[in-house]
């Protein structure tokens, strides 16, 4: 027999009140759940200080389930303070006083990820045909326990009990994903792991990692060190503010800067291996994305010789007013001569060879989107590519730049797919990479809708498809329709401009059906599943990323796992109330905190500078950021906000400068120009109990006196 224990940790204590056993409230909704009489007690409510005590409950595992046993023991120890001994034994029968994790006698009809979970008064069994199912059974057990079980530190006075149930469960889709964009804004290892923990809790199994795009290169490639040394950082377009964060975001929302003030960061190959191992323990496959042949500005910034504008073009990652989002000169040359120092394809193949060695999963995403939309004519003007286009015969059947670029990209994608196949990987690409035809041996990720969607065409051709239509899955879209539907201003608490000004509500996500209605039944199995994407141009901090993701990612988890006939939005929102407590226990910035109005301005404002003071004492409970949203509500003019300040007992402890709120552009409340977002971030480093806290705003009317709005404290950062 094998034993495993956890090491001693520093002890922190939180007293929490809890009344009665929790009602079953699992997300995603299981396929079958029968609630039985009685409860199972995991361990005592309190533990003695000093040396951590062993729980009387053991975790019994078979050889296939040892990793899940370690995962569960670590999670339970963190919140209960008890060490759960792991014992390896290949027996398949329930044992009194034991949590049994086993693949013995699992129902093969449940598939590789299905499971049975039995919670009885004196034992628990998670049984499945494969370890992934055992792991998901353990996740359901965790959700049957009080939400505090997910706390990051020991808690006391919580009855660690779960209702007795029998669950039989399996997923609807094999691909249950979430995409994190770290090219635009760098979040770091801890945030990646935190999201993986939340994904695992919700039985999501695919982490799509957008590591390369125009604004940053985030993965170390040993053969090309400048990709991270140079393109892992950017200076920022506003030199007056040295705003290296870009996209008009307030540089105070993030500390991801280096010693000379550049914004960014990257992952070393050792970092990648560490994160891959973390994902594997949670049965999450990582799909790295290396954008090509467009959205390659970051790569060309470091190695411009691979761009088809070489040597005349200068590549700049920083987002400027003249070189705006989302398009710029970003096309890579598709020359194939391995002896040429300017051929882009050998460069990409060398990069992908290293990427393939780091990620054990079967897929590498190669982007392929918006190649035509860049508007570049570089391929037809650059000799290496124009000569190659002639040699391939593309000019013989195509007459305009769009047709030529489409055909040339299809040739490139077909060959890159074959190359990745030789590396033991399958290529993935966004909708547009199949505009020129089906790419052999590849997987389509379809983000387009209507006539631009290729999902049905691909699936009926036998190709596998992952559904990610922006209107149902893009978490960077506004989550609330309040007022925006009337064309007046952005929703309260969501000051980050997004490029399409679209709204994606919680119910929109939950009611999404991934299988296209016009797909013939015999091809439905070619729809692997679906995922949410969170594009980060206007999500500059980890706290805001979490705010935008939740609770919509919870709704997507149920879309991915639960059979459509079992879904019920009202029931989901009822279960979500408990799930919110779980996410809060994990330290996730769940979007559930009430937005606080601390003051108003207008309807008439002075064009002379005035300073206004607002008392926020009753709202400040701890150190941290005070986030202010100056929210325009009406009038033809704007409000210039010259500065904001945080006062403690009348003394200024922090200040943030310059912004505006009001009419500026085609819609009130936002500006299409980069660099004009009406939010401010004030840092409170030390909380002083009993002190008076105030916010001051120095402002004046702009272009007139008619402007009104409300100032909110919000939790988006």
């Amino acid at each position: 027999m094998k034993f495993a224990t956890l090491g001693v940790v520093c002890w922190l204590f939180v007293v929490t009140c809890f009344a009665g056993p929790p009602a079953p409230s699992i997300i995603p909704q299981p396929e079958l759940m029968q609630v039985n009489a009685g409860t199972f007690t995991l361990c005592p409510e309190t533990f003695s200080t000093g040396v951590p005590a062993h729980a009387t409950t053991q975790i019994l595992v078979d050889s296939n389930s040892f990793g899940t046993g370690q995962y569960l023991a670590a999670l339970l120890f963190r919140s209960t303070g008890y060490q759960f001994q792991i014992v390896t034994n290949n027996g398949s029968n329930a044992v009194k006083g034991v949590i049994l994790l086993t693949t013995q006698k699992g129902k093969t009809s449940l598939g590789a990820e299905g499971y049975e979970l039995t919670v009885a008064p004196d034992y628990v069994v998670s049984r499945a045909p494969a370890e992934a199912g055992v792991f998901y059974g353990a996740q359901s057990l965790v959700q049957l326990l009080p939400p505090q079980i997910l706390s990051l530190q020991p808690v006391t006075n919580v009855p660690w009990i779960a209702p007795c149930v029998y669950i039989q469960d399996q997923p609807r889709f094999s691909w249950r994903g979430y995409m994190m964009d770290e090219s635009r804004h760098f979040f770091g290892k801890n945030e990646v792991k935190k999201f993986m923990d939340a994904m695992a809790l919700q039985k999501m199994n695919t982490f799509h990692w957008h590591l390369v795009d125009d604004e940053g290169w985030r993965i170390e490639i040993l053969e090309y060190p400048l990709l991270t040394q140079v393109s892992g950082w950017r200076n920022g377009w506003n030199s007056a503010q040295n705003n290296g964060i870009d996209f008009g975001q307030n540089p105070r929302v993030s500390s991801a800067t280096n010693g000379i003030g550049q914004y960014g960061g990257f992952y070393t190959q050792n970092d990648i291996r560490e994160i891959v191992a973390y994902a594997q323990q949670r049965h999450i496959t990582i799909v790295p994305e290396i954008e090509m042949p467009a959205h390659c500005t970051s790569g060309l910034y470091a190695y411009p010789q691979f761009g088809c504008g070489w040597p005349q073009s200068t590549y700049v990652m920083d987002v400027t007013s003249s070189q705006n989002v989302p398009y710029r000169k970003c096309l890579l040359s598709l020359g194939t001569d391995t002896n040429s120092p300017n051929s882009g394809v050998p460069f990409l193949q060398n990069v992908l060879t290293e990427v393939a060695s780091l990620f054990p999963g079967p897929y590498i995403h190669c982007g392929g989107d918006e190649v035509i939309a860049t508007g570049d004519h570089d391929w037809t003007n650059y000799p290496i590519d124009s000569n190659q286009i002639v040699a391939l015969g593309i000019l013989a059947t195509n007459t305009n730049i769009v047709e030529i670029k489409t055909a040339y990209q299809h040739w490139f994608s077909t060959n890159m797919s074959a190359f990745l196949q030789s590396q033991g990987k399958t290529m993935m690409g966004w909708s547009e990479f199949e505009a020129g035809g089906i790419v052999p041996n590849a997987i389509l990720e379809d983000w387009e809708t209507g006539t631009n969607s290729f999902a049905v065409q691909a699936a009926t051709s036998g190709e596998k498809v992952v559904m990610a239509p922006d209107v149902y899955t893009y978490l960077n879209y506004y989550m609330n329709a309040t007022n925006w539907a009337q064309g007046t201003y952005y929703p309260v608490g969501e000051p980050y401009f997004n490029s399409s000004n679209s709204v994606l509500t919680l119910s929109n996500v939950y009611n999404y059906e991934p299988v296209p209605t016009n797909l013939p039944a015999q091809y439905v199995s070619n729809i692997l599943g679906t995922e949410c994407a969170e594009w980060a141009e206007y999500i500059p901090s980890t706290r805001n990323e979490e705010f935008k993701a939740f609770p919509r990612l919870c709704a997507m988890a149920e879309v991915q796992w639960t059979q459509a006939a079992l879904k019920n939005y009202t029931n989901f929102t009822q279960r979500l109330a408990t799930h919110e407590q779980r996410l809060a226990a994990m330290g996730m910035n769940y979007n559930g905190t009430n937005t606080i109005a601390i003051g108003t301005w207008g309807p008439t404002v002075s064009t002379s500078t005035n300073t206004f003071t607002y008392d926020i004492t009753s709202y400040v409970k701890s150190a941290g950021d005070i986030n202010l949203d100056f929210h325009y509500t009406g009038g033809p003019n704007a409000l210039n906000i010259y500065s904001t300040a945080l006062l403690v007992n009348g003394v200024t402890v922090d200040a943030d400068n310059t912004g505006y709120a009001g009419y500026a552009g085609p819609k009130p409340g936002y500006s299409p120009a980069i660099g004009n977002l009406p939010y401010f971030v004030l840092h409170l480093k030390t909380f002083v109990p009993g002190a008076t806290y105030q916010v001051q705003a120095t402002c004046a009317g702009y272009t007139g006196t008619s402007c009104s709005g409300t100032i909110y404290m919000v939790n988006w950062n």
Side-chain angles (χ1 to χ4, degrees), residues 293 367-372 379 394 397-398 401-415 429-440 444 451-454 457-458 461 463:
D369 58 302
E370 298 177 324
V371 173
I372 307 304
W379 280 342
I394 290 174
T397 55
N398 298 275
I401 186 65
V402 171
E403 292 175 347
I404 292 169
K405 289 176 71 175
T406 300
Y408 196 37
Q409 181 183 1
H410 185 260
W411 164 83
F412 164 76
S413 298
T414 298
N415 283 276
W430 296 105
S431 301
E432 299 95 321
F433 96 125
E434 296 205 326
I438 299 298
V439 177
L444 168 68
T451 57
N452 291 324
S453 169
F454 292 101
Q457 175 185 338
S461 299
E463 187 177 32

Side-chain angles (χ1 to χ4, degrees), residues 173-478:
F173 293 109
S174 62
W175 187 291
R176 305 183 301 279
Y178 164 74
M179 191 215 78
M180 178 183 286
D181 173 15
E182 287 207 83
S183 173
R184 278 58 182 251
H185 291 292
F186 181 73
F187 301 126
K189 282 194 298 185
N190 290 340
E191 185 70 1
V192 169
K193 291 178 178 180
K194 189 176 182 181
F195 259 77
M196 286 183 179
D197 286 337
M199 290 174 63
L201 178 69
Q202 300 174 151
K203 303 181 177 72
M204 302 175 76
N205 66 358
T206 305
F207 182 73
H208 176 177
W209 206 1
H210 193 78
L211 291 165
V212 172
D213 210 305
D214 290 322
E215 289 78 32
W217 191 290
R218 306 297 179 204
I219 178 172
E220 180 185 36
I221 303 298
L222 299 179
E223 188 166 348
Y224 303 102
L226 297 183
L227 289 173
T228 47
Q229 292 174 12
V230 172
S231 296
W233 309 92
R234 58 181 187 255
N235 296 312
W237 67 271
N238 191 333
S239 58
Q241 293 183 6
N242 191 27
N243 181 3
I245 199 166
D246 271 346
F247 295 95
Q249 302 303 326
N250 191 326
R252 294 169 65 85
V253 302
S254 178
S255 59
T257 55
N258 62 14
I260 59 174
Q262 293 175 310
Y263 175 83
F266 63 90
Y267 296 97
T268 67
Q269 294 199 358
N270 283 337
D271 291 335
I272 297 291
R273 294 183 185 98
E274 177 185 336
I275 292 169
V276 165
Y278 197 87
Q280 287 177 318
Q281 189 185 36
R282 287 149 183 80
H283 295 271
I284 293 173
T285 297
I286 300 180
V287 180
E289 181 174 355
I290 311 297
E291 273 275 12
M292 61 184 77
H295 286 287
C296 293
T297 307
S298 60
L300 298 178
Y301 182 60
Y303 294 96
Q305 65 268 33
F306 300 127
C308 38
W310 175 262
Q312 290 81 18
S313 291
T314 300
Y315 297 98
V316 180
M317 292 192 301
D318 303 315
V319 180
T320 72
S321 56
S322 61
Q323 189 177 1
N324 210 336
V325 185
Y327 309 129
R328 62 189 73 192
K329 292 179 73 67
C330 62
L331 285 177
L332 192 99
S333 171
L334 303 187
T336 59
D337 184 358
T338 56
N339 295 316
S340 169
N342 306 117
S343 288
V345 169
F347 160 71
L348 288 177
Q349 291 177 340
N350 293 338
V351 167
L352 291 177
T353 298
E354 289 195 34
V355 172
S357 71
L358 292 169
F359 294 93
Y363 310 110
I364 294 180
H365 206 300
C366 293
D369 58 302
E370 298 177 324
V371 173
I372 307 304
T374 61
D376 287 1
H377 288 228
D378 287 355
W379 280 342
T380 53
N381 293 332
Y382 188 52
I384 288 178
D385 291 282
S386 61
N387 292 339
Q388 191 161 265
I389 287 170
V390 171
L392 291 169
I394 290 174
L395 287 179
T397 55
N398 298 275
T399 59
N400 62 51
I401 186 65
V402 171
E403 292 175 347
I404 292 169
K405 289 176 71 175
T406 300
Y408 196 37
Q409 181 183 1
H410 185 260
W411 164 83
F412 164 76
S413 298
T414 298
N415 283 276
M416 194 58 69
S417 175
F419 171 77
L420 284 175
Q421 196 172 28
S422 74
Q423 300 290 310
K425 304 294 182 182
T426 298
M427 178 183 181
M428 291 188 67
W430 296 105
S431 301
E432 299 95 321
F433 96 125
E434 296 205 326
I438 299 298
V439 177
N441 304 309
I443 292 178
L444 168 68
E445 181 165 9
D446 199 22
W447 75 273
E448 295 273 24
T449 56
T451 57
N452 291 324
S453 169
F454 292 101
V456 172
Q457 175 185 338
T460 54
S461 299
E463 187 177 32
K464 302 298 183 182
V465 179
V466 173
M467 300 297 295
D470 63 331
V471 295
Y472 297 110
T473 67
Y474 276 20
L475 301 181
N476 47 293
Y477 288 172
Y478 292 126

Side-chain angles (χ1 to χ4, degrees), residues 490 497 501 660 662-678:
Y490 55 76
F497 172 76
N501 310 308
Y660 86 100
Y663 186 89
K667 289 181 184 288
Y670 81 97
S671 170
I674 300 299
N676 292 307
L677 297 174

Side-chain angles (χ1 to χ4, degrees), residues 178 447 449 468-482 484-485 491 494 498 500-513 530-535 547-556 559 569 591:
Y178 164 74
W447 75 273
T449 56
D470 63 331
V471 295
Y472 297 110
T473 67
Y474 276 20
L475 301 181
N476 47 293
Y477 288 172
Y478 292 126
M479 67 191 83
N480 298 305
T482 304
W484 185 259
E494 298 186 56
N498 74 60
S500 68
N501 310 308
S502 300
V503 173
L504 177 61
T505 66
L506 180 66
S507 61
N508 290 153
V509 177
Y510 189 84
N511 293 318
Y512 168 54
E513 171 49 54
T530 184
E531 69 178 35
C532 277
E534 193 167 11
W535 299 103
F547 176 89
K548 298 286 278 186
F550 296 98
R552 290 179 293 181
L553 199 61
C554 310
M556 175 53 72
V559 171
Y569 183 67
N591 180 23

